Amino acid sequence: MATDGANGDGTVPAKGGKILVLPGDHVGPEVVTEALKVLDIIEQETGRKFEREFDLCGGCSLDKHKTSVTEEVLQKCQKVDAVFFGSAGGPEWGTAQPNPESGLLRIRDRMQIFANLRPCKFASKTLISYSPIRPEIVRGVNFMFVRENCGGAYYGDKIENEDYGCDPWQYSRHEIERVARVAGALAMQHDPPLPVWSVDKANVLANSRVWRRIIKEIFDKEFPKVKLQNQLADSLAMLLITKPTAFNGVLVGDNTFGDILSDEAGGLTGSLGLLPSASLAGPPGPAEAGGTLGRNSVGGVIGLYEPVHGSAPDISGKGLANPVGQVLSLAMMLRYSFNMHREADIVEKAIEKVLDSKDEGGLEIRTGDLGGKAGTKEMSEAIQNTVRQLLKS
């Protein structure tokens, strides 16, 4: 075993970066543990070592500290290159404030991870039958939803009394410009650039009219090669069901519309256990393209990475949770925060191989949410073994 920061051959391992791990509640610790085993393998095969620290957020923090996230943890979040998050919440904490989920909102605000990325695509083409949408409609769907994460109706001074409630749904130029640049940078990572749809309700909302105007200004000036289109949020809600592949590319929306529509998009794939997400503090890609906003100590983008599926208290502690969403979140962390694109691709290919049916050359190992019999550990071990094989090839 290597000691004193050295590899087994006496060489010093390459700097990986600092990761704060917040496993959270219920199935969170189970799937985080398995995902980090994949990171262990990547460290072993690449020689790049990551500094990891563990702490509390969510219901577990409420139980110990009477708050969903402590000031100490918030400060740690500001000093690392990435945060790897499991899940927060459960029925035992009820709806009292602060609730477990409020800790994540505070982390987003403190880290200014303003752009939430939710990919919508099938982890394996043989899972199309699990979608509630007919195969001929949903086959080939592949888009990224970028949601503004730190503004709009979810933040600001709120009014709530017995007879009246009000949430300020407001956006500034700065907030709109920075999320526009994330969408543009994602589009420009492809050749030719992907199309981008800006989602709003400019026909009725003043903040949406400002949103639409500023988005256009940024794309005209900074991303002239990207085809930008406007899409009303209510019509998009229908079209994501009837013509989802028409939006293959990048969609960008504000906090409210992004929250609702990215959840709808997640339903297209048929299982929440498969869905990863990232929340970034700046545009991804090379610094010369995205500038210095949100850059971490290793040249990537500061971010928080978590699966979409939540804490799943009904299966907590039973070894039944699907770890794929957490492992795919790890792949997003490798890609965006640590610029490890090859390793991220390998993790995604390994998951595809594990999930693919045997007649397609896959292993067809699946958890119960996908009609299989594998538990969390069996699924994780299959992914680990396949990642190791692909890294060596």
Side-chain angles (χ1 to χ4, degrees), residues 21-37 54-57 60 84-88 309-311 316-317 321 326 376-377:
V21 183
L22 302 174
D25 307 321
H26 288 295
V27 302
E30 299 175 46
V31 291
V32 165
T33 296
E34 299 307 318
L36 290 178
K37 292 177 182 177
F54 292 76
D55 219 309
L56 302 178
C57 180
C60 54
F84 195 53
F85 191 85
S87 59
H309 55 60
S311 64
S316 174
Q326 192 77 55
T376 307
K377 289 187 179 298

Side-chain angles (χ1 to χ4, degrees), residues 171-192:
Y171 272 103
S172 67
R173 171 175 289 275
H174 168 69
E175 290 171 319
I176 299 168
E177 286 182 343
R178 64 184 185 177
V179 76
R181 291 187 176 105
V182 171
L186 287 169
M188 289 299 296
Q189 289 183 346
H190 298 262
D191 187 14

Side-chain angles (χ1 to χ4, degrees), residues 6 48 75 80 120 124-125 147 171 177 186 189 191 201 203 213-216 218 298 308 323 333 336 359 370 383:
R48 188 168 174 176
Q75 291 182 16
V80 295
C120 180
S124 162
K125 59 182 176 295
R147 164 191 170 190
Y171 272 103
E177 286 182 343
L186 287 169
Q189 289 183 346
D191 187 14
K201 280 290 289 180
N203 55 338
R213 174 171 53 80
I214 293 175
I215 291 276
K216 183 178 186 303
I218 290 295
V298 291
V308 174
M333 181 173 72
Y336 297 126
D359 59 4
L370 299 174
I383 295 170

Side-chain angles (χ1 to χ4, degrees), residues 66-67 74 77 91 102 131 138 149 175 182 306 333 338 382 389:
K66 308 304 180 186
T67 181
L74 290 172
C77 289
S102 66
S131 172
V138 78
N149 216 24
E175 290 171 319
V182 171
E306 60 174 322
M333 181 173 72
F338 299 114
Q389 292 170 8

Side-chain angles (χ1 to χ4, degrees), residues 29-46:
E30 299 175 46
V31 291
V32 165
T33 296
E34 299 307 318
L36 290 178
K37 292 177 182 177
V38 176
L39 186 60
D40 292 340
I41 293 168
I42 291 170
E43 286 183 328
Q44 294 164 10
E45 297 298 328
T46 65

